[in-house]
Amino acid sequence: MTSFDSSPTLNAWRALLAIAVVFVMLASTGWTAVQHQRDPGEPLKVALSAWERGRIGAHDLPSPNASAKRLAAFFASLSSAQQRRLAIRYPLVVGNLNGAPVTLRYRANRLALLQARGVEERRMQDSRLSADGRQQASRRMGRFESMLGSGRQILAFDPSGKGRAAEVFGDLDRAKRVSVVVPGVDTNVLTFEKTNRSYTAPVGMAESLYSAEQKAGPGTRTAVIAWADYTSPAGLGVDAAIGKLAEDGAVRLSALTAALPGKSKVSLFCHSYGSVVCGVAAHTLPGRVTDVAVAGSPGMRVGSAEQLHTDARVWAMRDQDDWIQDVPYMAVGGLGHGADPVTRAFGARVLSSSGAVGHAGYFQPGTESLDNFADIGVGSYRAVTCADGATACRSGIASSGVSMAG
């Protein structure tokens, strides 16, 4: 459930669950949990407020909560100059609107990143901040500077709070198959990418998968999204043991997949707590989502793959030294995330993860876990390697990549 490779003890997990039980008891007797609401002065909320009062020509701007189809129609009605004007005036809004043209979102998010970098640069010089505060500003400025690098395609960006982001590898407009990497806890703008062991962070995971997909299906137009555009739990606290943040993330994930351009088929690759998000989202995912693959999962908040109520194929893997296997696979009073997805009883297609080491090694080049993800991403289902060394995980899948069952 974490981005870390070190294993928390089983006793620590039991302590966490005990704390969570107290939390639920307090909530059920009239106490309410503290909700981490966004401050009214945070950048995105300010930008949304300005958008809602704005106009283009003689027309009001559509609600940012409108459907992706409605927003797509709105942008299609504008000239290129009008689209650019909106991106310049409201970069944080346009950069996060499902339905807005992808290339316009990239442009808007670049402008939003420039603004956010400037804010952090000024904070670094603010003597009223503590030394820790100035150091945090320096780290955020460095991250934004990196995200402004040449050729980067930032699909979503919100500097509010700990920050959220999404990045695209490949040509999303022309892709026939799109893969979405959904990461786990402690995901924010500062952990969006790493220099060392890059494949353990969302950007590195997606970049590694994109490279593997190009090798697995050189004739297939693919794109991969590093999707850190939800608020994940911070560490192994109560939020990691319950489903509230997963529910919120599931709404955002379903909206993303429904709004992707064209008619591309979509595969989800969900790591750790990300698999909880994918499990909660499963029944609301559009039909274009053909595959949901989980790795190092603490559970998908159901007792079986059938209970996900999705037509997508469900795949699961876990390497033998992943500490997540010591997590109690349970669901009691909202605590825990349900059954273990790699067990026979769960009913997922269980894949080999040979070569992967620890909880964060599934996207490392040279592993069967990454190769299997890539084969699923390009629709080469007959090439996947099953955990049992046999062919059970490939049963019922036609050579064309169309599922005949489950």
Side-chain angles (χ1 to χ4, degrees):
M1 286 175 63
T2 79
S3 58
F4 308 123
D5 226 3
S6 58
S7 171
T9 66
L10 186 55
N11 286 337
W13 268 103
R14 287 171 175 157
L16 166 64
L17 290 173
I19 292 170
V21 168
V22 173
F23 173 87
V24 171
M25 290 176 65
L26 287 172
S28 66
T29 56
W31 290 75
T32 56
V34 175
Q35 299 297 314
H36 300 288
Q37 300 290 347
R38 288 173 177 264
D39 185 277
E42 288 189 346
L44 183 56
K45 188 157 188 176
V46 172
L48 286 169
S49 178
W51 171 276
E52 289 168 350
R53 299 191 304 270
R55 298 172 67 83
I56 185 76
H59 303 286
D60 292 335
L61 300 179
S63 168
N65 297 317
S67 68
K69 184 176 181 180
R70 165 76 180 89
L71 290 169
F74 165 72
F75 280 100
S77 72
L78 303 179
S79 67
S80 296
Q82 288 175 316
Q83 290 184 5
R84 288 194 298 271
R85 196 178 311 147
L86 287 178
I88 292 169
R89 190 178 301 168
Y90 310 103
L92 264 182
V93 179
V94 174
N96 289 284
L97 283 181
N98 288 322
V102 168
T103 52
L104 188 67
R105 290 180 68 174
Y106 297 159
R107 181 195 298 265
N109 282 319
R110 184 169 184 81
L111 294 173
L113 278 160
L114 286 168
Q115 292 178 358
R117 182 185 64 179
V119 168
E120 300 303 334
E121 189 171 18
R122 290 189 292 275
R123 291 181 70 238
M124 286 172 57
Q125 310 302 321
D126 190 342
S127 60
R128 294 171 297 177
L129 288 181
S130 66
D132 286 344
R134 290 194 296 273
Q135 183 180 36
Q136 183 79 348
S138 176
R139 292 182 64 202
R140 284 171 63 92
M141 191 189 78
R143 173 62 64 240
F144 299 156
E145 185 73 34
S146 176
M147 292 171 69
L148 283 164
S150 176
R152 297 192 67 169
Q153 302 177 136
I154 305 301
L155 184 68
F157 172 66
D158 177 7
S160 304
K162 291 188 176 181
R164 300 190 298 222
E167 181 171 6
V168 175
F169 295 88
D171 188 337
L172 194 56
D173 279 319
R174 298 180 64 248
K176 295 299 183 182
R177 302 191 70 96
V178 175
S179 297
V180 182
V181 175
V182 184
V185 306
D186 289 326
T187 296
N188 53 59
V189 291
L190 290 180
T191 60
F192 189 49
E193 57 185 323
K194 295 179 182 178
T195 301
N196 298 320
R197 300 181 71 230
S198 62
Y199 56 84
T200 66
V203 168
M205 290 176 178
E207 194 168 23
S208 183
L209 179 58
Y210 181 61
S211 178
E213 286 185 354
Q214 289 182 305
K215 295 177 182 176
T220 303
R221 293 203 299 271
T222 65
V224 179
I225 302 173
W227 190 76
D229 193 27
Y230 81 103
T231 300
S232 73
L236 298 178
V238 171
D239 280 340
I242 61 177
K244 177 62 172 67
L245 293 180
E247 291 168 4
D248 295 343
V251 173
R252 299 180 68 84
L253 180 60
S254 294
L256 167 81
T257 54
L260 292 173
K263 298 181 179 180
S264 55
K265 294 182 178 180
V266 179
S267 300
L268 305 183
F269 298 94
C270 320
H271 177 242
S272 197
Y273 188 85
S275 67
V276 184
V277 177
C278 291
V280 175
H283 73 285
T284 63
L285 295 171
R288 70 192 307 182
V289 178
T290 58
D291 299 273
V292 177
V294 302
S297 174
M300 302 179 75
R301 299 196 71 78
V302 292
S304 68
E306 184 179 17
Q307 292 175 2
L308 291 171
H309 300 295
T310 178
D311 291 330
R313 286 170 286 269
V314 181
W315 309 81
M317 67 169 70
R318 185 177 66 223
D319 71 64
Q320 61 183 2
D321 60 354
D322 187 338
W323 60 258
I324 202 76
Q325 64 192 302
D326 294 328
V327 171
Y329 285 93
M330 53 167 278
V332 179
L335 305 176
H337 302 305
D340 184 348
V342 302
T343 60
R344 182 186 297 271
F346 189 84
R349 300 171 180 271
V350 184
L351 296 160
S352 170
S353 58
S354 180
V357 177
H359 186 59
Y362 295 98
F363 290 84
Q364 182 175 356
T367 59
E368 285 192 0
S369 51
L370 178 62
D371 291 343
N372 279 328
F373 283 165
D375 287 332
I376 292 169
V378 300
S380 185
Y381 301 110
R382 292 297 186 183
V384 301
T385 306
C386 303
D388 57 8
T391 61
C393 71
R394 299 194 297 269
S395 65
I397 304 178
S399 58
S400 64
V402 178
S403 175
M404 302 299 289

